[in-house]
Amino acid sequence: MSLNKHQQLGHAGFDPEETQQINASLQGMCNGLEIQQNGEHTQKRSNKSLFVRNWLIVSQPLALLAIFALLWGIAYSVLPRQLTEPNTPFMRLWFLFVGAQISGILVSLTGLPDMLGMLFWGVLYTNVGWAEFQGLQKVEVFLREMALVNIMLLAGLGLDYDSLKKLFRFIMQLTLIPTVAEVVAIAVLSRYLLDLPWLWGVLLGLVVTAVSPNVVVTVLLRLKEERLGMNKGIHTLIIAMTSCNDVLAIFLFGVILGVIFSTGSLTSQILQGPIGIVIGLAFGGACGASLLYVPSYKAKYTNGLRFTMTILAGTLSVVGSKLIGYPSAGALGCITTAFVAGTGWKKRIDYKTNEVEMYLDLLWKFLKPVSFSLIGKEVNFSVLEGNTVLYGAITLLVAVTLRLLFSYISTLGSDLNWKEKAYVTLSGFPKATVQAALGPAALDLARSLNATDDLPRAQTVLIVTVLAIIFTAPLGALLMIKLAPKWLRKEQSENVGA
C-alpha cells in the first residue's frame, strides 16, 4: 500500500528518479523486515524443536522424580517426625536417590548415559559426609538385591529361544571367547598388580566382563529408528550376545562368590557350585513353568499378576538361596524363571508383546538411581589408595583391549563385512548396569558374615567396578552412536525385521 501511494505522489509532481529511489528504499526495508521475521520464525521453530527433543529425554525421569516427591509427602504425613525430618538417616537415604535422579537428568542432556550422573552423585554424597545411614544397612542390602533381581530377570527374558537355536554356534563363539579372554586377563593382572587371590581375581573378572544391556539396548533402539544395521540381523545378534554374556557372567559370579564365602570343608566347597546349579535350575524351572498356567491367559489382570509373581519368585530365589547357604543358586534361579516363562509366553498364538518385561523395565527406572548411587556411595576418597586406582585402571585397559581383539576374532567366518564385525565387537565394550548390581555384592556379603579379612578385597573389587563404569559406559555409548552411520548400512526396505 505504501508503494502505491508513493507512486501516485511521483506522478503528482515528484521527480521520477527520486520516486524510484524512495520505492527501492522502501522495498529494501520491506524485504529486510520479511527476512527478520522469517529468521525469528526459524529461530522460534528451532528453539521449539530443541525443547521438544529435550522434553522427550527428560519427561520420564521428571515423572519418576515427581513420584519420589509424592511418596515423601505421603511418608511425611503419616510417619513419625524422627523418620521424615531432613537430618534423619531415612531422609538422607531418600535424598541420595532423589539427587541421583536429578543428576541423571542433567547428565542425559549432554548426551552421556544418565547412570554416570547417578554414580557421581553417590561419590559426592559420601565424600561430603552425608552417607551416614545408621540402622538402615539391611535396607541398603535389600535395595541392591532388588536391583540385581531386576537385572537378572530382564536378562532371562532377553534370551530368545529361536534366535539362540538359529545362531547358537556364532552366539556362543561371541560370548565365550571374549569372556574367557577378559576374565583370564583380569585374574592374572589383579593377582600381581592388585594382590588379589586367584578366586577373587576371577570374581572381579566376571563382574567386569558383563556387557551393559542398558547402554547397548538404548543405542540399538535409536539405530532401529534410523534403520541402521537391520539388513543382516545385527540387532538380534548383539542383543542375544549381550544377554548370553550377562547370563554367563551372573551365573558364574554366583558360583565363585558361594565358593569364596563357603565356611564348610573342602568337599562342601567343591560341591557348592554343582549343588547351587541344581537348586537354581530346579527352583527356576518350577517357578517359570507355573507362570505359564497361573494366572490364566484369559484372566483380567493376567500381566499384572504375572509381573508380581515373577518379581517375587526372583526375590525369593536370591534371599532364600542365601538363607540355605547356597547363594550361587539365586542368580541362576532368577534367570531360569524368566527364561522358561518368557519362552512359553512367546509360543502362544495370541502373543503380542511381553508386558512383564515392560513392567520390569519400568521398575528398573526406579531402581537405577538407587543402584548407581549406592555403588558410588561406597567410593570414599579418604580411604582410597592411589595404587588401587592406578593398577585397577591398567588392569581394565589391558583386559578390555584383549576383549575387543578376541571379540573381533570371534566374528571371523561370518557373512559380515569388516565394518559390521567391528561394530559387533564394539557393542561388548560398555560396562554399567550389571556392574552396579554385582559390584557391591561381595562387600555386602563380607559385612553380613563379619569376614574382616575379605573386606579389603571386596572393597578393591568395588573400586575397579566403578572405574570400569566410568571408563567404558560413556565412551562405549558415544562410539556406538557416532560410528553406526559409518559402519552400518541403512536398510531401505520397510519389510525387514529387527
Side-chain angles (χ1 to χ4, degrees), residues 329-349:
L332 185 58
C334 272
I335 294 166
T336 306
T337 297
F339 176 65
V340 172
T343 302
W345 294 335
K346 292 173 185 176
K347 289 183 177 180
R348 294 276 302 182
I349 298 176

Side-chain angles (χ1 to χ4, degrees), residues 70-137:
L70 291 170
L71 288 173
W72 173 80
I74 295 170
Y76 188 82
S77 302
V78 300
L79 295 178
R81 289 292 179 268
Q82 59 265 32
L83 290 178
T84 55
E85 290 296 333
N87 200 35
T88 60
F90 179 80
M91 289 310 300
R92 283 199 296 270
L93 184 63
W94 190 261
F95 291 144
L96 172 66
F97 305 149
V98 173
Q101 184 66 39
I102 295 173
S103 300
I105 294 173
L106 295 176
V107 169
S108 66
L109 293 176
T110 67
L112 293 174
D114 57 355
M115 72 262 309
L116 288 179
M118 299 169 185
L119 179 68
F120 285 128
W121 174 255
V123 174
L124 174 66
Y125 210 77
T126 193
N127 285 282
V128 297
W130 297 338
E132 295 295 332
F133 310 134
Q134 296 90 347
L136 298 177
Q137 287 79 9

Side-chain angles (χ1 to χ4, degrees), residues 69-311:
L70 291 170
L71 288 173
W72 173 80
I74 295 170
Y76 188 82
S77 302
V78 300
L79 295 178
R81 289 292 179 268
Q82 59 265 32
L83 290 178
T84 55
E85 290 296 333
N87 200 35
T88 60
F90 179 80
M91 289 310 300
R92 283 199 296 270
L93 184 63
W94 190 261
F95 291 144
L96 172 66
F97 305 149
V98 173
Q101 184 66 39
I102 295 173
S103 300
I105 294 173
L106 295 176
V107 169
S108 66
L109 293 176
T110 67
L112 293 174
D114 57 355
M115 72 262 309
L116 288 179
M118 299 169 185
L119 179 68
F120 285 128
W121 174 255
V123 174
L124 174 66
Y125 210 77
T126 193
N127 285 282
V128 297
W130 297 338
E132 295 295 332
F133 310 134
Q134 296 90 347
L136 298 177
Q137 287 79 9
K138 290 185 177 180
V139 176
E140 284 187 65
V141 173
F142 179 73
L143 289 173
R144 283 176 176 151
E145 287 176 341
M146 286 303 300
L148 181 60
V149 168
N150 194 311
I151 290 301
M152 289 186 292
L153 291 174
L154 284 171
L157 288 174
L159 292 173
D160 185 78
Y161 178 78
D162 293 331
S163 298
L164 287 174
K165 187 176 180 180
K166 181 180 178 181
L167 301 170
F168 181 78
R169 185 192 65 81
F170 192 29
I171 292 173
M172 289 299 101
Q173 189 173 302
L174 279 172
T175 300
L176 293 175
I177 296 177
T179 297
V180 171
E182 190 171 23
V183 171
V184 169
I186 290 177
V188 172
L189 290 169
S190 62
R191 177 70 184 90
Y192 296 104
L193 295 181
L194 298 171
D195 198 28
L196 288 178
W198 286 109
L199 274 180
W200 278 93
V202 173
L203 187 79
L204 175 59
L206 291 169
V207 174
V208 172
T209 195
V211 181
S212 172
N214 188 274
V215 175
V216 172
V217 173
T218 300
V219 173
L220 290 179
L221 289 176
R222 180 170 174 174
L223 299 185
K224 186 176 181 180
E225 293 177 359
E226 301 173 1
R227 305 199 64 78
L228 287 170
M230 299 176 66
N231 55 312
K232 294 182 181 178
I234 291 176
H235 289 236
T236 301
L237 179 62
I238 291 177
I239 291 175
M241 180 269 293
T242 300
S243 299
C244 289
N245 178 273
D246 293 344
V247 168
L248 180 65
I250 292 169
F251 163 62
L252 291 178
F253 174 86
V255 172
I256 298 298
L257 190 67
V259 172
I260 288 176
F261 288 98
S262 175
T263 56
S265 62
L266 179 61
T267 303
S268 66
Q269 291 181 16
I270 294 173
L271 294 176
Q272 176 76 218
I275 294 175
I277 292 173
V278 173
I279 294 174
L281 288 174
F283 179 82
C287 289
S290 66
L291 284 167
L292 298 179
Y293 303 101
V294 181
S296 167
Y297 285 87
K298 296 181 180 180
K300 184 176 181 180
Y301 302 109
T302 297
N303 290 308
L305 292 172
R306 280 179 184 170
F307 164 72
T308 304
M309 291 177 65
T310 301
I311 197 72

